[in-house]
Amino acid sequence: MERRTTRQVMAGCVPIGGDAPVTVQSMTNTDTRDVEATLRQIRALEDAGCEIIRLAVLDGECAEALKKIVPGAKVPLVADIHFDYRLALAVMEAGIAKVRINPGNIGSEARVREVVSSAKDHGVPIRIGVNGGSLPKDILARYGGPTPEALYEATMGHVKLLEKFNFQNIVLSLKASSAELTVRSTERISRACDYPLHIGVTEAGTSFSSTVKSSVGIGALLLQGIGDTIRVSITGDPVEEVKVGKAILKSLGYGKAGLEMISCPTCGRCQYNVEKVVREVERRLDPKLPLKVAVMGCVVNGPGEAREADLGIAGGKGSGILFMKGEKVKTVPESRYVEELVKAAENLAAAKRS
């Protein structure tokens, strides 16, 4: 699908916008002042494929800790700043790759100018992050609550303030806990300017709720070519945010090559434990393998779906058919479904690499 054309900014070595791939980011939930705990979580996020990681900077101690954290990270780090403009200055000195601020709560124009001046000196982009839950009181009063128009007006006010100081190294995000409000607000801002967009539904809840809301909200925007970097917000382990984000991108054809499991939802025709086989195959295969693997439960859709995958099993009671590249390879006993799929996948991946 065709992406909306945006200007490109650099978060450290990672491009956002332009013709760069859509990136997946997350945010640590450790106490940033705890350097070791924060670095452990950063490493876990990196291992999961996270490409940009944000950290909360609550005070000077957090900013000081970044001097030790930044050198230990392999991906660009973003500092989340609110209220105290001096923290924005401190994190840029500490080597942070990007800053997220809400210019409306940083203080006077003189303070915003100081932040912008430092960002220019350090080559650090600023993300203007506007949330439906923290809009200025005057805008809320004017619109009677958080609406697409309210989020748009708040965002454009902040954009004009940074542009006043001749600063365009900007990323924008307009988020709400409502997928519809997030989509409508982001659609509107995308028509008004060409700054790259960070998209996601905020405060989306625990894993189940967030996966649904994020898939709807992020997916609706990406299908229109809107969005340059995404964050799935989940209450819990941020590694899950990365997994869901990557799955969303992959489902829309945006994701990098990696393992894609296809399996039927099961019904009364299914005569073996499809779920058990899928989970075990997925557990044993490297998620970075550039393969589409199908585990199907019956003869209705199974053979056709398995043929569309790189390899797959169309299973039945007692035995099933192993397909590879659309061709029947052999009949496999039910007890060997997992072993045969794993072996075939590893061999096919090795052949692709050679």
Side-chain angles (χ1 to χ4, degrees):
M1 65 197 74
E2 188 174 345
R3 290 262 304 282
R4 182 186 72 104
T5 302
T6 59
R7 65 179 72 192
Q8 189 172 96
V9 306
M10 296 296 296
C13 61
V14 174
I16 302 173
D19 59 357
V22 178
T23 51
V24 174
Q25 56 181 280
S26 183
M27 186 172 183
T28 58
N29 58 16
T30 56
D31 184 338
T32 307
R33 292 164 291 204
D34 188 334
V35 173
E36 289 306 314
T38 301
L39 279 172
R40 280 196 299 272
Q41 192 167 77
I42 286 171
R43 291 183 194 113
L45 287 166
E46 290 171 341
D47 289 345
C50 192
E51 295 157 295
I52 300 172
I53 300 173
R54 184 158 44 113
L55 304 89
V57 179
L58 308 177
D59 54 27
E61 200 175 337
C62 290
E64 188 67 23
L66 285 177
K67 293 179 181 178
K68 297 179 181 178
I69 294 171
V70 170
K74 297 176 184 176
V75 302
L77 301 184
V78 181
D80 198 80
I81 307 290
H82 291 279
F83 305 113
D84 192 341
Y85 80 104
R86 294 168 299 183
L87 294 177
L89 304 179
V91 299
M92 286 187 270
E93 290 294 332
I96 209 75
K98 182 166 163 252
V99 174
R100 181 272 174 114
I101 64 171
N102 182 333
N105 68 28
I106 287 295
S108 66
E109 282 197 13
R111 291 177 175 178
V112 175
R113 184 188 295 113
E114 211 172 328
V115 171
V116 167
S117 177
S118 180
K120 287 180 179 178
D121 291 343
H122 291 89
V124 172
I126 294 175
R127 171 161 75 95
I128 297 173
V130 174
N131 283 357
S134 57
L135 291 170
K137 292 181 179 178
D138 62 323
I139 291 179
L140 282 173
R142 189 176 310 124
Y143 291 99
T147 64
E149 295 74 20
L151 269 74
Y152 171 82
E153 184 175 319
T155 304
M156 288 306 296
H158 299 332
V159 168
K160 289 174 182 176
L161 179 57
L162 296 193
E163 289 179 339
K164 180 179 179 179
F165 303 126
N166 195 30
F167 189 80
Q168 289 87 33
N169 196 10
I170 298 170
V171 178
L172 303 178
S173 69
L174 296 79
K175 296 185 180 183
S177 58
S178 157
E180 182 182 8
L181 178 53
T182 298
V183 170
R184 300 303 173 220
S185 303
T186 306
E187 287 173 337
R188 180 157 187 177
I189 202 75
S190 74
R191 294 192 294 267
C193 57
D194 66 351
Y195 290 116
L197 293 172
H198 167 130
I199 62 173
V201 180
T202 193
E203 299 155 359
T206 54
S207 185
F208 175 78
S209 172
S210 176
T211 298
V212 173
K213 285 186 179 182
S214 298
S215 298
V216 170
I218 294 173
L221 289 167
L222 290 176
L223 281 170
Q224 299 179 71
I226 298 172
D228 301 287
T229 183
I230 70 171
R231 188 229 172 156
V232 173
S233 297
I234 295 178
T235 304
D237 185 352
V239 167
E240 293 302 309
E241 298 184 348
V242 179
K243 292 179 180 178
V244 175
K246 290 196 162 289
I248 290 172
L249 290 183
K250 190 177 294 184
S251 72
L252 296 172
Y254 277 108
K256 295 179 181 177
L259 181 66
E260 181 179 355
M261 295 297 301
I262 298 172
S263 60
C264 63
T266 74
C267 67
R269 291 189 298 269
C270 186
Q271 298 185 63
Y272 76 100
N273 193 333
V274 173
E275 181 182 5
K276 182 180 179 181
V277 172
V278 172
R279 289 184 181 277
E280 184 62 15
V281 171
E282 195 169 34
R283 184 186 70 80
R284 291 179 56 178
L285 288 179
D286 183 344
K288 295 187 288 294
L289 289 180
L291 296 175
K292 183 184 291 187
V293 180
V295 180
M296 307 305 292
C298 74
V299 297
V300 176
N301 296 316
E305 292 290 349
R307 286 191 180 98
E308 293 300 314
D310 291 300
L311 69 151
I313 284 281
K317 185 176 182 180
S319 67
I321 300 171
L322 176 67
F323 287 89
M324 189 175 294
K325 296 295 184 179
E327 300 295 327
K328 178 180 175 180
V329 176
K330 60 182 176 180
T331 299
V332 176
E334 182 181 340
S335 62
R336 294 282 301 169
Y337 287 173
V338 173
E339 295 300 327
E340 293 289 344
L341 275 173
V342 169
K343 179 182 176 182
E346 290 174 345
N347 288 342
L348 192 57
K352 282 189 173 185
R353 288 193 292 265
S354 63

